Amino acid sequence: MDTPYSRSPALHHLTKQLLQTYRKEVRPVHNWTQATTVYLDMFVYAVLDVVWDDEFLSWNSSMFDEIREISLPLSAIWAPDIIINEYVDTERSPDLPYVYVNSSGTVKHSKPIQVVSACNLETYAFPFDVQNCSLTFSSILHTVEDVDLAFLRSTEDIAHDQKAFLNDSEWELLSVSSTYRILQNSAGDFAQIQFNVVIRRHPLVYVVSLLIPSIFLMLVDLGSFYLPPTCQARILFKTSVLVGYTVFRVNMSDEVPRSAGSTPLIGVFFTVCMAFLVLSLSKSILLVKFLYDERCSQQEQTLLCLRGDTDTDQPRMDPGAQLAGVTESPVCQEYQAPSGSLKEVWSQLRSISSYFQTQDQVDQQELGWLALLERFDRLLFQSYLVVLGLYAITLCSLWVSWSG
């Protein structure tokens, strides 16, 4: 029975023999026209396996106490220059300085890796979005004649292998598809392997924190249309709702992902709702301002009508005194200027009639404006309902598509 002490000299002798004349600067092939095939395998958010054959690191296991696999320093042997083209940050992985080599010369380099890569996010359907991010592996310097790439496992096994993915509370791995292709450029032909990682978001947390509060805000805003258009409290109510919209948008901006390629549907909907709210609020402000101006003008016209007199020869009197002159007793008339002619009475009656006619005209004008604004209010309300219905139908269809 072999003991660790009996195998240790053989392992030491084997390692010394392999690395004594080894040149890590040279690609490990006896025939330089033969390409070195590098096999890639990937488990999402777990381990990246890189395997290749090194012809200078093979031995006869029977000569070394049946040692079939040893670990060697990565810095002491040749390693392929395989990179991920989508890198946007430094590689976040622990430094593992050793690789395993078997007696046939196959080198296996496995290491945990966390990649921060560029990915075009499609955020239109947020939070029911499905993302497709790609990771492209290729050599920097070696063309396909020197270093070729291949799959360590079948593409079907890679596509449906989810056991190593960290299924956290936000994302779920659907599949990992892979393709092999040759990239042609002026420097030569380079082998590439691309993994397309398809993931989808878990939307429950965003439904609770974004969609449900947004629906409540919309219903409150719709309820404001039942307040009378001339009520000044409606302006205060809509202003409060507008402040709530603004605060909610600020909080929502931290939750919604940012992407230059697409705008989330929920963001577009909130912009449309805010436009309806601002339009309705502006209409209410203009209506209150118009009614205020009309009443001020009506009061001025009333004073002018009551002060008016067709008899230019008689001095002007206070309107209250003039009306009192029509109805007061003769005893009181003794303390007023003598004016009891029928002409003056007729003039006062005409002033009163003119006042009531002006009042009727103003009332009719106000009723016309109110009817027009009420129709505009109904149009806004119906448009709001249409937008809300379309938004609800779109969200339901996106949810069904996400579930499928």
Side-chain angles (χ1 to χ4, degrees):
M1 179 178 179
D2 293 336
T3 64
Y5 298 101
S6 63
R7 294 173 59 89
S8 181
L11 181 61
H12 178 74
H13 179 63
L14 174 60
T15 303
K16 182 178 180 180
Q17 178 176 324
L18 289 176
L19 299 181
Q20 186 174 9
T21 58
Y22 189 87
R23 299 290 301 275
K24 66 177 184 180
E25 298 86 0
V26 181
R27 190 165 58 89
V29 290
H30 294 288
N31 184 2
W32 66 270
T33 61
Q34 180 182 356
T36 300
T37 302
V38 179
Y39 299 90
L40 295 178
D41 194 9
M42 183 181 68
F43 299 92
V44 179
Y45 200 31
V47 177
L48 174 66
D49 284 340
V50 182
V51 179
W52 68 93
D53 291 329
D54 193 323
E55 297 180 3
F56 299 156
L57 295 178
S58 60
W59 69 89
N60 188 355
S61 59
S62 60
M63 299 175 58
F64 298 94
D65 291 341
E66 298 300 330
I67 297 177
R68 300 184 181 277
E69 190 175 49
I70 62 173
S71 61
L72 294 177
L74 178 62
S75 60
I77 66 173
W78 180 90
D81 55 338
I82 305 299
I83 65 166
I84 300 178
N85 296 340
E86 289 82 4
Y87 266 150
V88 295
D89 198 356
T90 57
E91 179 182 319
R92 300 178 181 179
S93 61
D95 186 14
L96 300 181
Y98 292 95
V99 294
Y100 270 104
V101 183
N102 60 23
S103 59
S104 62
T106 301
V107 182
K108 183 178 181 181
H109 184 204
S110 300
K111 65 174 181 177
I113 182 174
Q114 182 179 356
V115 178
V116 180
S117 63
C119 182
N120 293 324
L121 294 179
E122 294 294 335
T123 59
Y124 173 77
F126 174 83
F128 307 104
D129 51 336
V130 177
Q131 305 296 338
N132 187 348
C133 296
S134 60
L135 298 175
T136 306
F137 294 83
S138 64
S139 175
I140 302 178
L141 299 176
H142 297 89
T143 61
V144 69
E145 289 81 8
D146 295 332
V147 174
D148 197 7
L149 301 180
F151 296 106
L152 185 60
R153 294 182 299 165
S154 64
T155 56
E156 291 78 10
D157 293 338
I158 297 175
H160 302 287
D161 192 356
Q162 304 178 19
K163 62 183 180 181
F165 181 71
L166 181 59
N167 286 307
D168 57 8
S169 59
E170 185 171 2
W171 294 103
E172 176 187 0
L173 177 64
L174 298 181
S175 65
V176 181
S177 60
S178 51
T179 55
Y180 171 86
R181 63 183 179 181
I182 301 296
L183 178 64
Q184 299 179 349
N185 55 33
S186 59
D189 299 338
F190 294 85
Q192 283 188 350
I193 285 182
Q194 186 177 74
F195 295 96
N196 294 312
V197 182
V198 182
I199 56 178
R200 70 177 179 181
R201 193 189 306 269
H202 289 163
L204 182 59
V205 62
Y206 297 101
V207 170
V208 174
S209 62
L210 289 180
L211 295 184
I212 293 179
S214 68
I215 292 175
F216 287 160
L217 273 176
M218 288 179 283
L219 293 178
V220 169
D221 194 16
L222 283 173
S224 65
F225 283 91
Y226 288 96
L227 294 175
T230 57
C231 181
Q232 296 184 5
R234 183 176 185 178
I235 297 178
L236 298 177
F237 185 82
K238 282 188 170 292
T239 303
S240 301
V241 175
L242 181 60
V243 172
Y245 263 111
T246 305
V247 173
F248 188 78
R249 285 294 300 271
V250 172
N251 295 333
M252 187 185 68
S253 63
D254 297 331
E255 300 291 337
V256 178
R258 294 176 177 84
S259 176
S262 60
T263 302
L265 177 64
I266 186 174
V268 175
F269 175 72
F270 265 96
T271 301
V272 174
C273 289
M274 187 170 289
F276 276 117
L277 176 59
V278 171
L279 186 61
S280 177
L281 181 60
S282 302
K283 184 264 301 177
S284 299
I285 294 174
L286 291 177
L287 176 61
V288 172
K289 180 67 169 61
F290 168 76
L291 293 179
Y292 176 78
D293 291 342
E294 285 292 326
R295 287 167 184 170
C296 291
S297 176
Q298 174 189 350
Q299 292 177 358
E300 292 178 357
Q301 291 179 2
T302 301
L303 292 176
L304 290 176
C305 289
L306 292 177
R307 290 175 180 174
D309 195 345
T310 56
D311 192 358
T312 56
D313 297 333
Q314 298 295 332
R316 292 187 177 271
M317 301 175 59
D318 183 74
Q322 291 179 349
L323 290 176
V326 179
T327 58
E328 288 180 349
S329 62
V331 177
C332 296
Q333 293 178 359
E334 294 178 358
Y335 298 94
Q336 300 176 355
S339 174
S341 63
L342 293 176
K343 183 177 180 181
E344 182 179 354
V345 174
W346 175 249
S347 175
Q348 297 298 329
L349 292 175
R350 285 175 53 187
S351 299
I352 295 173
S353 175
S354 175
Y355 163 73
F356 284 112
Q357 290 178 357
T358 304
Q359 180 67 28
D360 290 339
Q361 293 177 358
V362 171
D363 291 341
Q364 292 295 330
Q365 187 176 7
E366 286 188 2
L367 290 176
W369 279 106
L370 286 176
L372 178 62
L373 291 174
E374 285 179 356
R375 287 196 297 268
F376 183 70
D377 223 32
R378 286 195 298 269
L379 178 62
L380 281 179
F381 181 75
Q382 294 170 359
S383 302
Y384 213 145
L385 287 179
V386 170
V387 171
L388 181 58
L390 291 176
Y391 179 65
I393 294 173
T394 305
L395 282 182
C396 292
S397 61
L398 289 175
W399 199 335
V400 171
S401 176
W402 177 91
S403 301

